[in-house]
């Protein structure tokens, strides 16, 4: 666990580029502590975190909105890689932070580099840095310790994929266990219960373990409470005819 950083320095003014609708760029000063937070204590310095993300985030977004989006990413546990990756891609895409995942790192800047080159390089570096921080924040420390110290967000994601994407047997086992153990709660919504079971069956089909419609129907009937016993009897009687 990284040590939590206590910030004692007074805030400094940092210029932030904000693109206007006509394509021109203006400079705006904003307060920032200028210190990158370790993943474990990132929530303790939201203002500094927000100042890094805000140039790429709609101006109506607040630090709380950003943190809520980041917190919606599930923790990677070795059996939910596909879900984790989907959430990572969605959040980074909505926050316009996925540039480093879509494009290769720009060539190093030189004396002759244009202002556009410098701007693109800065955007990529910011995207890469924040993407890494967000991904690592949703990975348990025990798993992070077993991974290489990769500085590229794209390569870091590829490394995770190599470790977990092929672990489909564990995911299938988890989904099957959930499906066979599901029980309808009497005060719940019967439609939502059936849809939830159907969703699990769809995930199993995506993992190339196809469940027939008849099997799913029987699993749903088995999951129902005693108050639906007459309905179950009637359904079975119809099938026997």
């Amino acid at each position: 666990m990284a040590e939590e950083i206590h910030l004692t320095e007074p805030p400094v003014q940092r210029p932030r580029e904000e693109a206007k609708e006509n394509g021109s760029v203006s400079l705006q000063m904003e307060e920032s502590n200028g210190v990158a937070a370790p993943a474990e204590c990132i929530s303790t310095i939201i203002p500094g975190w927000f100042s890094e993300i805000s140039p790429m985030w709609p101006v109506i977004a607040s630090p709380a909105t950003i943190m809520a989006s980041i917190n919606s990413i599930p923790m990677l546990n070795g059996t939910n890689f596909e879900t984790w990756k989907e959430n990572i891609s969605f959040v980074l895409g909505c926050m316009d932070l996925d540039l480093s995942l879509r494009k290769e790192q720009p060539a190093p800047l030189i004396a002759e580099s244009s202002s556009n080159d410098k701007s693109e390089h800065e955007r990529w570096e910011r995207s890469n840095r924040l993407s890494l921080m967000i991904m690592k924040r949703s990975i348990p420390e025990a798993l992070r310790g077993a991974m290489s110290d990769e500085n590229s967000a794209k390569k870091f994601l590829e490394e995770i994929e190599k470790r977990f994407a092929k672990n489909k047997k564990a995911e299938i086992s988890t989904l099957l266990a959930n499906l066979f153990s599901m029980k309808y709660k009497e005060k719940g919504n019967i439609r939502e219960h059936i849809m939830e079971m159907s969703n699990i069956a769809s995930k199993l089909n995506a993992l190339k373990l196809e469940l027939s419609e008849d099997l799913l129907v029987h699993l749903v009937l088995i999951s129902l409470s005693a108050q639906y016993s007459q309905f179950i009897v009637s359904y079975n009687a119809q099938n026997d005819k």
Side-chain angles (χ1 to χ4, degrees), residues 23-148:
S24 62
V25 176
S26 62
L27 293 180
Q28 176 179 327
M29 304 303 295
E30 66 179 5
E31 289 191 354
S32 171
N33 49 50
V35 178
E40 292 81 358
C41 63
I42 195 170
S43 61
T44 64
I45 55 170
I46 289 179
W49 167 258
F50 181 59
S51 69
E52 292 291 337
I53 294 180
S54 56
M56 299 182 180
W57 189 254
V59 294
I60 59 173
S62 65
T65 301
I66 293 175
M67 291 307 300
S69 298
I70 296 172
N71 288 334
S72 69
I73 301 173
M75 291 295 290
L76 181 65
N77 58 27
T79 63
N80 66 342
F81 172 77
E82 294 297 335
T83 301
W84 178 85
K85 182 181 178 182
E86 181 180 342
N87 278 267
I88 284 287
S89 300
F90 178 77
V91 171
L92 292 180
C94 289
M95 298 171 72
D96 196 19
L97 287 173
D98 60 345
L99 178 65
S100 59
L101 300 181
R102 294 184 289 104
K103 294 185 178 182
E104 296 297 330
Q105 183 176 7
L109 295 176
I110 58 177
E112 292 76 15
S113 296
S114 66
S115 58
N116 288 336
D117 291 337
K118 295 178 181 179
S119 176
E120 184 68 16
H121 195 276
E122 182 181 349
R123 287 185 64 242
W124 190 95
E125 289 289 347
R126 183 187 291 115
S127 167
N128 184 67
R129 181 175 65 257
L130 296 177
S131 293
L132 271 173
M133 293 176 68
I134 291 174
M135 283 191 285
K136 289 181 178 181
R137 187 176 186 271
S138 60
I139 301 176
E141 185 179 7
L143 294 180
R144 290 203 309 271
M147 304 184 68
S148 63

Side-chain angles (χ1 to χ4, degrees), residues 161-180:
E161 187 164 8
K162 289 179 181 178
R163 285 177 175 268
F164 299 109
K166 295 181 180 180
N167 194 11
K168 292 183 179 180
K169 291 183 179 179
E171 187 172 1
I172 289 175
S173 298
T174 300
L175 291 172
L176 281 175
N178 291 339
L179 183 62
F180 281 86

